[in-house]
DNA sequence: TGCCATCCGGAGAGGATCTCCGTATTCTAG
DNA sequence: CTAGAATACGGAGATCCTCTCCGGATGGCA
C-alpha cells in the first residue's frame, strides 16, 4: 500500500470514529469523508462495505474485550466475572451508538463479511469460556447458550441507547436477564 | 374532513401497512405515496411526523393487545398469562418489521408524539395488571418493573427480526428473561 | 530522473425526505 | 342550482445521502 493511501485510510478511520461517536450509526459517510479531507470515492475504495468500516473501527475494541475476558477467567466469582464481562460488552456496544447494533446484534447471516464474522467468533469464544466456568460453578443455569446470551446483551445495549435520558436503563435491563441478577455484596471490577 | 381527504387517508394507510410489511421500517414514504396514488405532499399533510403514521397504523393492534391482556387476566396461571401476553407483544413488534422497534422500543422521550405516548401507556397499563397478578401469585420476582420488562421484550423482538433465518430465536431469547422461563407442562393459549 | 502502477477526488446518477404553492375539488349557503 | 369559500391535491424542486466512474495527480522503483 502506498504511503499516501495509508495516511488517508488512517484519517478516514479517525473521522469515522468521531462521527459515529457523535451521530451514531446514521452518521453520514459523506461527511466522514469530508471531515477527513478526502473525497467520497476514497472512502468507498478503502471500505467497500459498511461492514469493512465497522470491523476496522471496532477491531481494537474487540481485542480489548477478549483480553478482558481472559483476565476475568481468574476472577474468584465465575458468575460475577461473566456479568462484568457482559456488561463491558454492552457498554462497548452502547459506546458505538448503534453501529454495532445494526451490524453485530444478530448472529451472523450467511452474507456477513468474513471479517465481521471473525469478530463475532472471537467474542463468542471468549464469552463461552466465561459462561462455561460460571455454569460449572452452578451459579448460572446450564440451559443458557452463549450465542443467545450475547445476542440478548446486544439487544439490551441497543435499546438502552434509544433512551439516552435514562442512564440506569442498561443496568436494570441486564438485571432482568437470567443468570445476571446481581448479588448485593458483589461489586464490579 | 372532506370526503376525498378521508379516502386518501385510508388509501395511504393501506399502502403504508403493505409497504412496511414488505420492506420493514426502511420502506420509502415516497413509494408509499406513489402506490397509494397520491403525491408526497398529501402523505405529509395527513401524517406530518413518522410517529403519526405509526400510531395510525398500529392503533388497532394496540387495542387488540390490550383486549387480549384483559382476557388473560382470567387465565388460571398468572405467570403463563403474563408470558403469553408478552410473547404476543413481541410477535406484534416483530410483525411490524422494525417500525415499532424504531419508535416504541424505548420508553417515551419528552419529545415523543402525544398519541404515541398514549399507545405506550395503554400497553404499559395492561402489562402492569398482568405482572402484578403474577407477582402476587409468587411466580414472578417482585423486583421486576413492567416498563423495563416491556422495553426488554421490545429489544428482543427487534433483535429477532435482524436474524429472520432463525425462527426460534425469539422464543429462546424470551426464555432468557427472568420470570419468563417456560414450564414444560404449560402451553400457550 | 522518468515511467508506471496506484491512488485521489469530485462530478454526477439515482433515490429519499420534506416543502411550497398554484390548481382542483368539495361543501355550503343563498 | 349555483357560486364563493374553504379545503385538499400533487408535483416540481431544494437538499441530502449513497455509491460509481474516470481523468488526472502522485508516490515508488529502476
Amino acid at each position: 500500500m502506498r504511503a499516501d493511501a495509508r495516511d488517508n485510510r488512517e484519517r478516514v478511520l479517525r473521522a469515522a470514529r468521531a462521527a459515529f461517536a457523535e451521530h451514531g450509526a446514521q452518521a453520514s459517510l459523506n461527511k466522514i469523508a469530508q471531515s477527513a479531507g478526502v473525497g467520497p470515492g476514497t472512502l468507498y475504495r478503502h471500505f467497500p462495505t459498511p461492514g469493512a468500516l465497522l470491523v476496522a473501527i471496532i477491531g481494537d475494541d474487540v481485542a480489548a474485550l477478549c483480553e478482558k475476558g481472559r483476565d476475568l477467567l481468574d476472577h474468584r466469582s465465575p458468575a460475577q466475572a461473566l456479568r462484568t464481562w457482559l456488561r463491558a460488552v454492552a457498554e462497548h456496544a452502547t459506546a458505538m451508538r448503534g453501529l454495532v447494533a445494526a451490524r453485530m446484534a444478530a448472529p451472523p447471516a450467511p452474507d456477513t463479511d468474513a471479517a465481521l464474522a471473525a469478530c463475532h467468533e472471537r467474542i463468542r469464544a471468549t464469552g463461552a469460556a466465561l459462561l462455561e466456568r460460571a455454569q460449572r460453578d452452578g451459579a448460572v443455569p446450564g440451559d443458557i447458550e452463549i450465542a443467545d446470551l450475547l445476542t440478548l446483551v446486544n439487544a439490551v445495549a441497543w435499546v438502552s441507547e434509544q433512551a439516552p435520558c435514562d442512564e440506569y436503563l442498561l443496568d436494570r435491563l441486564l438485571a432482568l436477564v437470567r443468570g445476571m441478577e446481581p448479588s448485593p455484596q458483589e461489586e464490579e471490577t
Side-chain angles (χ1 to χ4, degrees), chain A:
Chain A
M1 176 179 290
R2 252 166 58 174
D4 56 342
R6 183 163 209 86
D7 276 2
N8 275 323
R9 192 175 190 280
E10 290 300 321
R11 283 220 308 278
V12 167
L13 229 38
R14 269 198 301 273
R17 255 185 241 269
F20 284 128
E22 184 174 2
H23 301 107
Q26 65 271 38
S28 156
L29 298 189
N30 233 3
K31 288 186 177 166
I32 290 176
Q34 195 177 345
S35 86
V38 305
T42 300
L43 189 153
Y44 284 96
R45 197 172 333 98
H46 282 297
F47 307 104
T49 71
L53 183 54
L54 172 63
V55 168
I57 287 180
I58 68 173
D60 292 347
D61 305 307
V62 168
L65 279 175
C66 290
E67 192 183 330
K68 178 166 189 167
R70 274 194 302 275
D71 291 348
L72 282 168
L73 280 175
D74 294 332
H75 195 282
R76 56 189 154 74
S77 160
Q80 189 193 339
L82 176 64
R83 279 199 301 278
T84 302
W85 185 75
L86 285 177
R87 196 185 189 289
V89 171
E91 271 185 343
H92 170 256
T94 303
M96 287 296 107
R97 299 273 316 258
L99 185 64
V100 177
R103 298 266 155 196
M104 280 191 78
D111 60 339
T112 310
D113 310 43
L116 204 49
C119 282
H120 260 291
E121 175 51 28
R122 290 168 62 192
I123 292 283
R124 197 204 59 77
T126 304
L130 285 163
L131 174 61
E132 197 191 345
R133 184 161 161 262
Q135 285 175 330
R136 267 201 309 267
D137 194 50
V140 171
D143 62 329
I144 294 179
E145 290 185 22
I146 186 61
D148 291 338
L149 195 51
L150 281 170
T151 300
L152 185 55
V153 165
N154 268 310
V156 164
W158 169 78
V159 80
S160 293
E161 81 199 18
Q162 312 292 309
C165 50
D166 185 348
E167 54 181 326
Y168 301 116
L169 183 60
L170 176 64
D171 285 317
R172 294 205 313 275
L173 293 184
L174 284 178
L176 280 180
V177 179
R178 283 171 55 204
M180 295 286 285
E181 307 90 340
S183 317
Q185 283 79 357
E186 292 177 354
E187 62 190 21
E188 290 182 6
T189 339

